[in-house]
Amino acid sequence: MAEVVLLDFWASPFGIRLRIALAEKGIKYERREEDLSNWNKSALLLQMNPVHKKVPVLIHNGKPVCESLIELQYVDEVWHGHGTAPLLPSDPYQKAIARFWADFADKKIIELEVKLWRTKGAEQARARKEFIEILKLLEGELGDRTFFGGENLGYLDIALVSYYCWFYAYEKCAGFSVEAECPKLTAWAKRCMQKESVAKSIPDQQKVYQFVLYLKKVFGVE
């Protein structure tokens, strides 16, 4: 086994985070794709993450680190001197703010994303409204900054941009436009995509949409 191994799934926004962070730090690693389209989990995944049994799992010198936001912090601390800048701010307050918004986004977006493609009618409309409200809150936090991390791509940028490849699927399924509702947030996402570490880590939006259509069939959503 390589020194650094990432157990991953191509469409996972949480795995995308680790791909971006490792690329930003210039860390070479072995990526192992899990067959989660068919709900097949490898013995290694079950061994390395026996509690949640989920990707991503970052294995460093044979030791697993789980949960993507924790893994991002681990990458930043272990390889602190690598890359152009630290992922997390040095100021304790700014660090706490970045962690707050990343945690907030995960709790809210994960709760709503399935409703955007798996429900219809009033339930989907409520999910769409709340999803847009969350994006507007994040847009307000961004303000006029280039990135959430200031002039450099940082922890919160990586945590949030990992969802970007799913936006097209959400829009198609729930009938709205992120760019029309949140133009500044969309412009930020496009700036992130200009970074090689991001562009090479994020799958094509059409491919993700086709995966969502596959999920709709699997779950019997017409």
Side-chain angles (χ1 to χ4, degrees):
M1 183 182 290
E3 178 185 348
V4 182
V5 176
L6 179 64
L7 305 185
D8 196 6
F9 176 62
W10 70 270
S12 167
F14 312 111
I16 290 168
R17 292 170 176 173
L18 273 298
R19 288 175 238 162
I20 295 172
L22 290 168
E24 278 289 301
K25 294 291 186 178
I27 305 303
K28 294 182 179 179
Y29 66 98
E30 177 187 349
R31 181 176 174 275
R32 297 193 184 185
E33 177 78 5
E34 292 287 325
D35 183 21
L36 299 186
S37 294
N38 298 306
W39 285 266
N40 294 325
K41 298 181 180 182
S42 71
L44 184 60
L45 174 60
L46 299 177
Q47 175 192 347
M48 292 294 176
N49 191 358
V51 177
H52 295 301
K53 304 176 176 66
K54 295 179 179 179
V55 297
V57 179
L58 182 70
I59 306 171
H60 184 210
N61 291 324
K63 297 178 181 179
V65 183
C66 303
E67 296 297 289
S68 64
L69 293 181
I70 295 171
E71 290 167 88
L72 283 184
Q73 294 174 56
Y74 180 86
V75 168
D76 199 32
E77 290 172 7
V78 171
W79 294 287
H80 189 72
H82 293 67
T84 56
L87 301 181
L88 276 160
S90 58
D91 178 75
Y93 178 74
Q94 293 302 323
K95 188 179 294 185
I97 293 298
R99 287 170 171 162
F100 167 82
W101 283 110
D103 179 69
F104 169 83
D106 270 9
K107 287 175 178 174
K108 292 295 186 179
I109 292 175
I110 293 169
E111 174 188 337
L112 293 170
E113 59 147 356
V114 174
K115 293 180 181 179
L116 291 174
W117 62 262
R118 201 171 172 178
T119 64
K120 289 186 176 182
E123 186 176 2
Q124 187 186 64
R126 285 193 297 271
R128 180 176 61 235
K129 180 176 182 292
E130 189 173 348
F131 183 73
I132 292 169
E133 288 172 354
I134 289 164
L135 295 187
K136 287 184 180 295
L137 282 173
L138 293 170
E139 191 173 58
E141 173 61 19
L142 174 66
D144 294 323
R145 287 174 289 178
T146 303
F147 297 107
F148 284 94
E151 292 303 312
N152 296 304
L153 190 80
Y155 170 86
L156 184 54
D157 297 287
I158 294 172
L160 296 179
V161 79
S162 62
Y163 288 110
Y164 181 58
C165 60
W166 284 79
F167 281 9
Y168 177 73
Y170 300 157
E171 291 171 332
K172 293 288 286 185
C173 293
F176 69 104
S177 166
V178 173
E179 186 165 16
E181 298 286 350
C182 301
K184 285 188 176 181
L185 195 67
T186 301
W188 157 82
K190 290 178 178 178
R191 285 195 295 274
C192 291
M193 288 295 292
Q194 292 174 3
K195 304 276 288 185
E196 185 178 2
S197 61
V198 178
K200 288 189 173 181
S201 301
I202 290 186
D204 180 71
Q205 290 187 336
Q206 285 285 350
K207 185 179 179 183
V208 174
Y209 177 53
Q210 291 303 315
F211 177 60
V212 170
L213 293 180
Y214 162 75
L215 291 177
K216 286 168 72 76
K217 289 181 180 179
V218 169
F219 289 102
V221 180
E222 296 296 335

